[in-house]
């Protein structure tokens, strides 16, 4: 018999900070779904609860947020039979490896992290050590399972690159052990806020700025109606998606914001497999943005109809969902404890 080829390892996580939105889906989860179906890959997907407590939060809400995110991901199609699906805090080795990585990570590398700077400016009264150390915990999340490919949105690329640096620092000091890690992006790695399309879609910008997967078709329509676009209905000439980004950075802020909003609507159509509609609409300018928004709302509502149904069913069985997470944690721990045993030996404490 031929020796079986080692499976490539995929690792990614999401913070339980509110409902899963179409940005998370476009940038990360749609890739998770595709990757878990590839038998040549070994996938680890988790709920990053320890990351989420670096932000201001209410302890009594956290447990429900974890369960809600588990429901969202399972309803999307994450299948615990195909991937190892668990909650980060159920596997203590994540924080243990983070500590070891702290000892090889230069502070100057963390000071460069744009998400840290961004978040620190948003929570000036709570710039805690965890927020600063956050990317090191993320590196531990990935390397604990020897993750090689990390399916994330574009905003997480800097953290994945840091993971590669930390693996190199560790390997240089102690000998080759951790693999090189690379990000894996979708073709919509950054959906934009509906209310300010110069920023990424994010829960932190408020409910009107994002579309949750759980939003009803009516809510989607209301949110999209208010979405920022430009006013002329005319696109810059010969504009492809790739060229758009280049063109847009050279324009005044108000123009950039408006056109970014339009491109965001196109990205949503691509997301739901309606690229033909984008072609049709761009061919018949001036574009009527009211009609475009109604169309996007309709398509998004349809695309996530099955999701909403599956989620309702799952929500009636929280005990079953908890059991799935417990089983996932057990599977993850088996790998994580082996890595940590090896790491303890490599660094000379055992
Ligand atoms: P988080 O929880 O902010 O986001 C989860 C995933 O969704 C992607 N994403 C987006 N993609 C496209 N457009 C958007 N507007 C958008 N907003 C979010 C994110 O890039 C991410 O892939 N630090 C991570 C969680 C994490 C992690 C990890 C990820 C913890 N440990 C290990 C990978 C590997 C975070 O805060 O993602």
């Amino acid at each position: 018999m031929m020796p079986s080829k080692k499976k490539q390892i995929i690792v990614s996580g999401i913070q339980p900070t509110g409902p899963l939105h179409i940005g998370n889906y476009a940038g990360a989860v749609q890739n998770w779904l595709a990757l878990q179906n590839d038998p040549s890959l070994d996938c680890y997907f988790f709920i990053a609860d320890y990351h989420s407590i670096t932000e201001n939060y209410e302890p009594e809400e956290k447990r429900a947020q974890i369960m809600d995110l588990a429901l969202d991901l399972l309803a999307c199609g994450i299948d615990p039979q195909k991937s190892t699906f668990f909650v980060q805090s159920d596997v203590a080795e994540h924080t243990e490896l983070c500590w070891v990585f702290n000892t090889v990570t230069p502070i100057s590398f963390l000071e460069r992290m744009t998400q840290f700077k961004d978040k620190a400016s948003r929570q000036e009264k709570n710039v805690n050590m965890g927020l600063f150390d956050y990317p090191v915990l993320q590196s531990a999340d990935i390397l604990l399972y020897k993750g090689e490919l990390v399916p994330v949105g574009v905003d997480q690329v800097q953290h994945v690159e840091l993971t590669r640096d930390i693996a190199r620092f560790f390997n240089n000091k102690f000998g080759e052990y951790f693999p090189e890690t690379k990000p894996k992006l979708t073709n919509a790695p950054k959906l934009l806020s509906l209310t300010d399309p110069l920023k990424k879609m994010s829960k932190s910008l408020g409910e009107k700025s994002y579309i949750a997967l759980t939003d009803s078709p009516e809510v989607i329509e209301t949110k999209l109606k208010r979405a920022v676009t430009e006013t002329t209905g005319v696109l810059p000439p010969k504009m492809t998606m790739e060229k758009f980004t280049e063109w847009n950075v050279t324009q005044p802020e108000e123009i950039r914001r408006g056109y970014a909003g339009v491109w965001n609507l196109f990205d949503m159509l691509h997301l739901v497999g309606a690229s033909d509609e984008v072609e049709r609409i761009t061919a018949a300018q001036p574009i009527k943005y009211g009609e475009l928004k109604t169309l996007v709302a309709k398509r998004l509502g349809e695309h996530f109809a099955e999701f909403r149904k599956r989620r309702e069913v799952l929500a009636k069985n929280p005990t079953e969902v908890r059991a799935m997470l417990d089983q996932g944690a057990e599977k993850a721990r088996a790998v994580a404890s082996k890595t940590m045993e090896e790491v303890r030996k490599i660094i000379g404490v055992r």
Side-chain angles (χ1 to χ4, degrees), residues 2-143:
M2 289 279 285
S4 59
K5 207 167 154 259
K6 190 188 150 297
K7 290 189 177 190
Q8 193 176 30
I9 301 191
I10 313 294
V11 183
S12 198
I14 299 195
Q15 296 192 68
T17 46
L20 194 70
H21 58 68
I22 59 169
N24 302 130
Y25 185 84
V29 178
Q30 61 163 333
N31 256 347
W32 296 13
L33 296 172
L35 294 165
Q36 71 170 359
N37 283 325
D38 181 337
S40 71
L41 307 175
D42 190 6
C43 297
Y44 295 83
F45 299 128
F46 64 93
I47 296 175
D49 55 346
Y50 273 161
H51 276 102
S52 74
I53 62 170
T54 62
E55 289 179 24
N56 297 324
Y57 79 103
E58 299 298 333
E60 56 278 10
E61 282 174 11
K62 194 49 74 184
R63 202 168 295 115
Q65 286 180 326
I66 294 169
M67 179 50 87
D68 279 341
L69 182 54
L71 291 173
D72 280 349
L73 291 168
L74 290 166
C76 277
I78 292 301
D79 180 347
Q81 301 300 323
K82 294 179 181 164
S83 60
T84 305
F85 177 54
F86 62 100
V87 179
Q88 182 187 37
S89 65
D90 282 340
V91 185
E93 284 83 354
H94 286 245
T95 46
E96 194 177 353
L97 185 58
C98 174
W99 182 255
V100 175
F101 283 169
N102 279 336
T103 67
V104 298
T105 309
I107 286 178
S108 60
F109 275 56
L110 296 182
E111 282 167 343
R112 277 184 226 149
M113 294 293 121
T114 53
Q115 284 226 334
F116 169 70
K117 288 188 248 183
D118 202 41
K119 286 189 182 173
S121 72
R122 272 192 272 130
Q123 54 185 70
E124 274 173 348
K125 295 206 173 100
N126 182 16
V127 184
N128 60 78
M129 191 57 214
L131 194 65
F132 189 60
D133 205 26
Y134 177 116
V136 184
L137 179 58
Q138 184 158 347
S139 304
D141 295 337
I142 297 166
L143 292 171

Side-chain angles (χ1 to χ4, degrees), residues 75-76 301-313:
C76 277
E302 284 165 4
H303 192 76
F304 293 109
E306 272 304 304
F307 161 87
R308 293 192 299 274
K309 268 195 221 146
R310 279 198 299 263
R311 196 185 187 287
E312 242 174 67
V313 175

